[in-house]
Amino acid sequence: MEPQYVKRRQRGMAVLIASLVLIIGGLGYIGFRLLGGGSTLDYEGQGNGVTQLVQVPEGSSMSELAPELAEKNVVKTPEAFSSAANSNPRASQIKPGFYRLQEEMSAKSAVEALLDEGNMVDLLDVQGGATLLDVNVVGGDVRYGIYSLISQVSCKEGECVSAEELEKIAATVDPAELGAPEWALEEIRARGEDPKRIEGLIAPGQYVLDPNMDAKEILTDLITRSTKKYNDTNIVDRAQAIGLKPYELLTAASLVERESPAGEFDKVARVILNRLDEPMRLELDSTVNYGLEDVELATTDEDRHRETPWNTYAKDGLPDSPIASPSEEAIGAMENPAEGNWLFFVTVDDKGTTVFTDNYDEHLANVDDAVRSGILDSQREGAGEPPADEPPAEEQ
């Protein structure tokens, strides 16, 4: 017979081996599931065709998305996604924005989808000089306005917020409710139910829009963010330093934006300030065009005499509102204009060459050069030459 201690030892070894087998097997099973094996902790394949929108905030890491992805049923478990993200060397290259992902994706597929920019929701890109409404260029193309651009990037499952919806909200909802700055509320409300009354209050920049938002939520988001941007740059004190109100600074900067060729912002700003100081009417064709359905560089005698809230041929001082979204560069030009006594400027060729002068006769000669170059040729019927008493500074 074997000694009892030998039997006890054998039984102990058997228990130890069985325990190790269970532990190793369990760890292997968990790893198998986390890495995509089976179906307990992870889905298989590219998804079930149902789209979910997932936001990647600025500065967030891939693994931080795991709980939300599991909650939206994009992946089955946070653990599976975190494991797949940690296994992908490109995970740190994820870009902020909204992504369209499907439900029931494998963790590996979800990671790859978040690294594919083709799945990103398009950004709203507001350029300096952009207007709210579309602009029809005579003999040319349509220049899409901010409302149309919003509509183009707001689509979800084929449904888009329309430009008409945005116009209605802009015209009827109180501007304070939309997030407009306190220093602009009086002027905006004075425009009644004009859908252009919030012109200039959506600052240039690139914006990520949540496609789940409706028209009011989108405008509130954009205007609120722009108001913060303007206020964070201390616009009230900046305007006061040059003798303007903040809303007037935006308005003047919008003229710079629409009138100036590249590199001439500070000179055009000086002309505007010099004319305001004279005082002289600004007589800028951009302010004539802003009230028209169809625009071009040349304007007609009839249009220049048309009384609108913006036409600076027919009214003194600045327009009643901005005529475009002014960039920080244009605002800065109004604060720091070039040194000069210029009162006139005109673009004399299709290369954008712009000539500045404080002498009226010299300006007449420059206008003649512009006419001879063909840049002021109009495709409208009844278009006239620039008025002889005060030739205009031509719009860019």
Side-chain angles (χ1 to χ4, degrees), residues 123-189:
L123 291 172
L124 171 66
D125 189 7
V126 178
Q127 299 284 336
T131 55
L132 291 170
L133 300 185
D134 297 346
V135 175
N136 298 312
V137 180
V138 176
D141 298 324
V142 175
R143 188 171 69 234
Y144 288 108
I146 295 173
Y147 292 142
S148 290
L149 296 177
I150 292 173
S151 180
Q152 292 168 15
V153 301
S154 69
C155 302
K156 177 186 176 184
E157 303 297 330
E159 295 292 329
C160 310
V161 174
S162 70
E164 291 74 20
E165 290 177 271
L166 294 162
E167 290 181 29
K168 182 178 179 180
I169 294 297
T172 59
V173 175
D174 187 78
E177 195 174 338
L178 294 176
E182 184 177 350
W183 39 262
L185 294 178
E186 182 179 351
E187 289 85 352
I188 298 171
R189 289 169 180 153

Side-chain angles (χ1 to χ4, degrees), residues 183-205:
W183 39 262
L185 294 178
E186 182 179 351
E187 289 85 352
I188 298 171
R189 289 169 180 153
R191 298 292 319 128
E193 293 191 349
D194 182 353
K196 297 193 294 186
R197 66 180 186 166
I198 60 168
E199 192 77 84
L201 298 184
I202 298 176

Side-chain angles (χ1 to χ4, degrees), residues 338-355:
E339 292 297 324
N341 298 320
W342 310 299
L343 294 172
F344 311 98
F345 68 96
V346 62
T347 298
V348 297
D349 58 37
D350 58 8
K351 298 177 182 178
T353 305
T354 304
V355 183

